[in-house]
Amino acid sequence: MNRVSYSQYKTWGTCPEYWKLKYVDKLDHFNQSIHTIFGTSTHLVIQEWLENILFNDEHSLVYAQSVDLSDRFKEILIKEAAPHIHRTDKDGNETVLFTKAVLEEFYQHGCLIISYIQQHQAKVFPTENIKLHSIEHYLKADVGKNLTFVGYIDIVTYNEKTEDYVLYDLKTSGKGWSNYKKKDKSTTDQLIIYKKFF
């Protein structure tokens, strides 16, 4: 059974030849960067906060909005970064992927993002009548002859009053979220496809 993800779909929609080189010929090699490490780290902290604090009946909303997550974010960021700071090329030469100063800059930005989400929790992650349904919700759907779509939804919540589900796909960006970016179908289509298969 052949499997296709949203990343593959997006790549093919942009350039079928590049899709072939990347997924069939295996000529593209993914390398971690400070941006991917930062994205993974912020995802993990936000998901932990949702699961262990915001939607945990043991904690109040006031606590969820005010708890300091900076130490936990630093711990995860360092853990994610450590294996990739030093890189060795094919000739055995070691390079530094990013400096301590760059890591510190991304740490500061991450703290601001996480704090913003906490302060605006009622708008971003409302809790009235809402329960956390799942984190990294696995999707699997047959989409054609011998072809399966697979993916993971970052966060799913469920409104017990309206019986509605809300799907969240967390994104980080090095250039901000302009109106152009927000309307970019290659970005927005991901949630539309996830909704269809959810």
Side-chain angles (χ1 to χ4, degrees):
M1 179 70 68
N2 294 312
R3 294 156 62 95
V4 62
S5 65
Y6 179 75
S7 295
Q8 289 189 47
Y9 164 79
K10 180 179 176 181
T11 302
W12 182 85
T14 304
C15 178
E17 182 60 26
Y18 177 55
W19 175 88
K20 177 183 178 296
L21 292 170
K22 184 174 182 177
Y23 293 104
V24 178
D25 300 336
K26 310 289 186 188
L27 295 180
D28 180 72
H29 297 286
F30 174 75
N31 287 318
Q32 288 281 8
S33 70
I34 185 60
H35 299 281
T36 59
I37 291 164
F38 175 77
T40 298
S41 301
T42 51
H43 270 63
L44 290 172
V45 171
I46 292 166
Q47 289 172 330
E48 279 188 6
W49 172 70
L50 291 170
E51 189 168 29
N52 300 329
I53 299 174
L54 183 63
F55 286 101
N56 185 327
D57 293 336
E58 294 179 9
H59 301 292
S60 68
L61 276 179
V62 173
Y63 176 75
Q65 292 166 347
S66 61
V67 61
D68 186 353
L69 299 172
S70 59
D71 285 345
R72 180 59 179 150
F73 177 58
K74 180 184 284 187
E75 180 185 346
I76 292 175
L77 185 63
I78 291 171
K79 180 181 176 184
E80 292 294 323
H84 308 288
I85 293 174
H86 298 281
R87 182 176 291 164
T88 305
D89 64 20
K90 61 183 179 181
D91 299 321
N93 300 314
E94 189 173 274
T95 58
V96 177
L97 185 60
F98 48 84
T99 64
K100 183 178 179 181
V102 168
L103 189 62
E104 176 65 26
E105 179 184 355
F106 275 82
Y107 166 70
Q108 296 297 335
H109 287 299
C111 288
L112 290 172
I113 291 168
I114 293 163
S115 177
Y116 178 90
I117 290 172
Q118 289 178 273
Q119 292 168 25
H120 296 84
Q121 164 272 313
K123 180 181 178 183
V124 182
F125 292 111
T127 56
E128 187 175 353
N129 300 314
I130 294 175
K131 297 293 183 185
L132 181 64
H133 178 269
S134 52
I135 298 283
E136 294 296 327
H137 184 91
Y138 180 58
L139 289 178
K140 183 177 179 182
D142 293 332
V143 292
K145 187 176 181 181
N146 208 31
L147 185 63
T148 301
F149 176 86
V150 294
Y152 290 90
I153 306 172
D154 290 333
I155 300 154
V156 181
T157 61
Y158 176 68
N159 188 314
E160 295 181 313
K161 186 174 181 179
T162 64
E163 299 185 342
D164 290 327
Y165 291 91
V166 175
L167 314 182
Y168 294 85
D169 185 60
L170 303 178
K171 298 286 187 194
T172 53
S173 171
K175 297 181 180 178
W177 290 101
S178 63
N179 284 332
Y180 171 81
K181 185 74 173 175
K182 290 175 183 177
K183 294 174 183 175
D184 180 6
K185 282 182 63 62
S186 68
T187 300
T188 59
D189 280 358
Q190 183 170 6
L191 272 177
I192 292 170
I193 290 174
Y194 283 0
K195 177 183 175 181
K196 176 179 176 62
F197 295 131
F198 179 79

